[in-house]
Amino acid sequence: MSQHALDGAPLLEVKDLAVAFHTPRGTFRAIRNASLTVHRGELVGLVGESGCGKSTLAFAVMGYLPDTADVGGSLRFEGNEISKMSDAELCELRGNRIAMVYQDPATSLTPTMRVGAQIQEVLREHLRMDAERARERTVELFESVRLADPAAVGMRFPHELSGGQQQRVVIAMALACDPDLLIMDEPTTGLDVTTEATILDLVADLKTRVNAGILYVSHNLGVIARVADRVSVMYAGQTIEEADVRDLFKNPRHPYTAGLLSCVPKPLGASGAVTKLSAIPGSVYPAGEGDVEACLFADRCPSVQDACREQAPPMALTDVGSSSRCLFWAGVRPGMWGADEEREEALPTNGAEPVLTAKSIRRFYGSWKRKYLFFGPRVQPPVRAVTDVDFTVGRGRTLGIVGESGSGKTTVARAVVGLVPLTGGENQLHGEALARNVDDRTRGQQAAMRMVFQNPTASLNPKMPVRHAILRSLKKFTSLNSRERRERAVELMEAVGLSADYLSRRPGELSGGQQQRVALAGAFAGSADVIVADEAVSALDVSVQAQVLNLLKAHQREEGVSYIFISHDLAVVRYVSDDILVLYAGHVAECGPADSVLAAPSHPYTEALLSAAPVPDPDAEPTRIRLEGAVPTLREAFKGCFFAGRCPRKIGSVCDEKPPPARTGPGSAEHVIYCHIPVDELAEMQQPGADPVDATSASSR
Amino acid sequence: MLRFLIARLSTIGVTLLVVSGAIFVVTEILPGDVAQMMLKKEATEERLAALRAELNLDRPAHVRYLSWIGGVVRGDFGDSYVQKRPISEIVPRRIAHSLVLALFALVLGVPVAVAAGVWAGVRPDTLWDRVVSTVGLVGISLPEFVTGVMLMLVLASTLHWLPPSSHILAGTTPWTRPEILVMPALTLMGVLFAYIMRMTRANVMEVMQTPYVRTAVLKGLPMRRVILRHVLPNAMLPTITIIATNFGWMLGGLIIVENVFSYPGLGQLLLRSIQTRDVPLLEALSLLIAATYAFSNLVADLAYTALNPRIRYA
């Protein structure tokens, strides 16, 4: 960030903003007191947990709030008050001077219109271009966001593009009229980590290329560290800290910021043992509560003092030049949420007795399609979701499964518990073959394997108190009588950190994190041997995610349960897993002990995944390997290597022609790698001096 | 696309075959003997037997069904018992009349209903929305013979703006006196308006909440463009199915409206064929109406496909 950027008048100045929504169920204070500035040429990050008012702030800047909103304070763009503008003035501003990029590109583009036309209408509306000129400009814009084949992309419909391509289109649309202010609301949330990395590269590049101010909203500290110059942290509708990005990560001056930082699993590749995660207890101060003269974070703060409950702290300037809404900012340390204690290892890492074994499991979806309904030649084979996957889960150990969306993670999980029957191969529990369908398994086998899903709201019956879900599991899978079951339910709730009175509440009265803990209590109920957690913490905020992860670990130590833990977040998988299975297009890329797989990546796909994962450290070296495109949908068996189409390290025709051999990893004999490149040669390629990798040349379908 | 068409057409074929069987069974069960009905008081045992032989009524049911369906496939629906003429001579003119009326009501009614629905859906809970929604509810609730008779009382008997009866004189077409179409069409529109308006309103309200409409608004486009280009094409998708289903209903289910206004369409013919036990005519008309339903649904699916780029039949 250049110094002169800070000097002139700010482009956007939000001062003491308050937004309340009046609804029949009461008044919700989405924003209580938020102040921030964005100057031309800088990227300001806005972070905080869900429900802190980040998105409301972003939409307030666009002048896009429902009629029920009551706006106080000021919100100025180039000195003009946005909340006082007429509809015509707003139309003039939106898409032209201020443009926005949205969280979910798939739903943010009109499905019935070609994407080119959706950009051309902006150009024609604001810049009065004729049709011909608008078409040319659209192609230029597509080029500038590095879309392959820019001339053809404009003729496609949104559903014909991948998530990454859709987001590039949305960014191109935002850049169409050279806006002065760009607002990006979680632009990479929901995208694959590999796609996220390429979009973040683009954002970093935009920062230097366009002379606009950018407000970047995200809950992901790794993303913020990668792109932001300055950061504002929001909590319960207040901006509570504002700092230069390095100061924020190195010298946080608000307990909440320090807490958020210690909830994130430590960066990958950090040497030494994994440290235990801290968690922020409780949940965000509810928006439905009235304003109080106190610090809103007091109830969750580890170093709360009496003064914190007696006055609302003002924004104070700190020793490092940042501002903090904490009376005792001088006492904030990175370690205040608990010292970096070493995570206790579960059980001996070697020679654990295998609990669950998958032998060459296959799952194909659909059946052969014929040319005419029931007749004619067979034209379309079924989709090969999972092809010949092998793995073993040891007693008391956790197998992490990683891979992009479409790589077959969820299908493996569902096939293991029997929700989708296998097409081939076999699952074994304690050496005994499991029936393919969950209904054909014995009661004991059903009790031995439980599943926890990504979305707890959808997996609990909204009409029933949560007691119902837990008691039912106990009734089905244990021989306790009804009084014992009730006692056990209370124990289970306490085990997941919820008091007994939560049993009589309905899921709707619980927060997402509490619901997921109830779901875990249900999974723990039958004393399962294996619990399959499919993206079980992905929808949770970092503070809650840490609680749930620690809970899983604690339960494993006490009960010796095994987990299959599926996540797209490598840092999280690394934190919980003893073994890691890397899946690509339904094939095993590599599988082995976590340290061996992640410490020095010995498969190009793992290397690309690691390279793409954002690191919550602004000084982290930007990584170089990028994967374009998405996991292909497979209908034919691969002739050569399954990853050859996108591999940045492809060594030649052998990759296309021969299936990769199984190699043994450098650190452990249990580490299997399917790649044509010998492990030591790949390590050589990864040396800093080696030829730079150009992944964009790889196929992007 | 070809694959899809083949699949759909063969499904329609099977459907119509099943329907033809059902119709035949129903006419068999229908009380009253056709020969008895036709001869009335002149019925003697010999004459009845002779007539039954002439009409092939003495042959077993499955033989009669097969010979009937064989004729249908060749385009020969047999002769009407009552009019003593080939059915293929009687029906086409009636189809034309009903089509004219149905299309007239559609062309007049759909744009009005869609416009009202969009208007109400864009500004839910305003006075205009409440008025339109109430009118829609009334339209759905009132049976056609009530609205039809009310229209007749007001427009024909009191104001004398329109002729009370919509019969068509021999040798003329509905277009000779287009004013006779107005009242039946208005009656049909009453029901049509309610369905289509409410459907459009609900869809528009839903689409207005989508992120892509938010995107369109935040692009700085004027509201009119947002609605025409971004809301309407998406909100119309489910509405099209409703319109098509209604078209099937309008052709086949005009019995009440056509009889209230004495309009000589399919519905009137159908009613008379039931009253006179004119079984071949009844069978032919029922099959025809079933086919109309099937094909208007096919047309709806094709229109849906054309408007919705996410669906492409390979």
Side-chain angles (χ1 to χ4, degrees), chain A residues 222 225-226 246 249-250 267-268 611 613-623:
Chain A
R226 170 101 170 77
R246 280 187 183 73
F249 282 88
K250 301 267 152 39
L268 294 158
S611 181
V615 179
D617 176 4
D619 290 323
E621 194 74 6
T623 50

Side-chain angles (χ1 to χ4, degrees), chain A residues 59 62 64 91 94-95 102 107-113 118 121-122 125-126 157 159 173 370-373, chain B residues 3 6-7 10 211-212 214-215 217-222 225 229-230 233-234 237 307-310 312:
Chain A
F59 285 110
M62 298 297 293
Y64 188 76
C91 274
R94 291 167 176 168
Y102 311 88
T107 58
S108 298
L109 291 166
T110 301
T112 49
M113 242 173 128
Q118 301 194 39
E121 66 176 354
V122 186
E125 177 66 31
H126 291 299
F157 286 101
H159 71 279
M173 187 189 290
R370 290 180 185 272
K371 195 163 179 193
Y372 312 104
L373 210 59
Chain B
R3 191 191 136 86
I6 292 173
S10 43
Y212 58 81
R214 183 184 66 197
T215 307
V217 171
L218 293 186
K219 276 179 188 174
L221 300 177
R225 193 176 167 83
R229 290 298 305 268
H230 296 270
N234 292 290
L237 288 175
L307 277 180
N308 189 347
R310 281 164 295 188
R312 288 279 182 264

Side-chain angles (χ1 to χ4, degrees), chain A residues 600-679:
Chain A
S602 22
H603 191 285
Y605 184 55
T606 315
E607 187 189 5
L609 286 180
L610 284 171
S611 181
V615 179
D617 176 4
D619 290 323
E621 194 74 6
T623 50
R624 300 172 306 162
I625 298 179
R626 293 290 180 259
L627 289 185
E628 290 287 338
V631 182
T633 301
L634 301 176
R635 291 191 181 274
E636 306 286 338
F638 280 108
K639 194 163 162 254
C641 172
F642 47 88
F643 189 47
R646 288 170 83 205
C647 184
R649 302 270 186 209
K650 193 173 164 186
I651 50 174
S653 57
V654 62
C655 294
D656 290 323
E657 285 156 12
K658 278 192 174 159
R663 297 179 188 280
T664 308
S668 160
E670 289 160 23
H671 184 180
V672 197
I673 302 149
Y674 292 90
C675 183
H676 284 291
I677 310 173
V679 177

Side-chain angles (χ1 to χ4, degrees), chain A residues 96-238:
Chain A
N96 189 13
R97 310 285 318 280
I98 309 181
M100 189 156 176
V101 176
Y102 311 88
Q103 173 165 351
D104 185 1
T107 58
S108 298
L109 291 166
T110 301
T112 49
M113 242 173 128
R114 294 178 198 277
V115 293
Q118 301 194 39
I119 294 187
Q120 283 151 25
E121 66 176 354
V122 186
L123 295 166
R124 302 188 67 173
E125 177 66 31
H126 291 299
L127 305 181
R128 304 274 158 228
M129 284 185 185
D130 59 45
E132 187 51 39
R133 180 77 197 94
R135 256 197 299 280
E136 289 165 19
R137 176 80 182 125
T138 305
V139 175
E140 291 168 24
L141 284 165
F142 284 155
E143 259 166 35
S144 78
V145 293
R146 290 186 252 140
L147 270 165
D149 202 0
V153 166
M155 291 308 286
R156 307 250 181 90
F157 286 101
H159 71 279
E160 297 170 324
L161 304 175
S162 72
Q165 288 173 315
Q166 288 168 343
Q167 195 57 294
R168 278 164 205 266
V169 168
V170 174
I171 293 174
M173 187 189 290
L175 296 177
C177 303
D178 275 323
D180 297 285
L181 179 64
L182 193 57
I183 296 171
M184 307 186 107
D185 184 15
E186 305 262 12
T188 63
T189 310
L191 300 180
D192 260 318
V193 62
T194 49
T195 313
E196 174 177 79
T198 59
I199 297 285
L200 290 181
D201 286 347
L202 178 64
V203 172
D205 173 50
L206 284 181
K207 216 164 64 171
T208 57
R209 217 173 56 201
V210 301
N211 184 28
I214 304 179
L215 180 64
Y216 193 104
V217 179
S218 179
H219 71 285
N220 187 328
L221 289 163
V223 167
I224 290 292
R226 170 101 170 77
V227 296
D229 298 313
R230 272 190 311 125
V231 184
S232 280
V233 183
M234 274 191 100
Y235 179 78
Q238 296 180 328

Side-chain angles (χ1 to χ4, degrees), chain B residues 116-146:
Chain B
V118 169
W119 196 276
V122 170
R123 308 167 183 74
D125 298 325
T126 56
L127 180 68
W128 167 257
D129 174 35
R130 293 215 181 96
V131 169
V132 172
S133 300
T134 313
V135 169
L137 257 184
V138 171
I140 277 189
S141 315
L142 283 182
E144 297 104 290
F145 56 84
V146 176

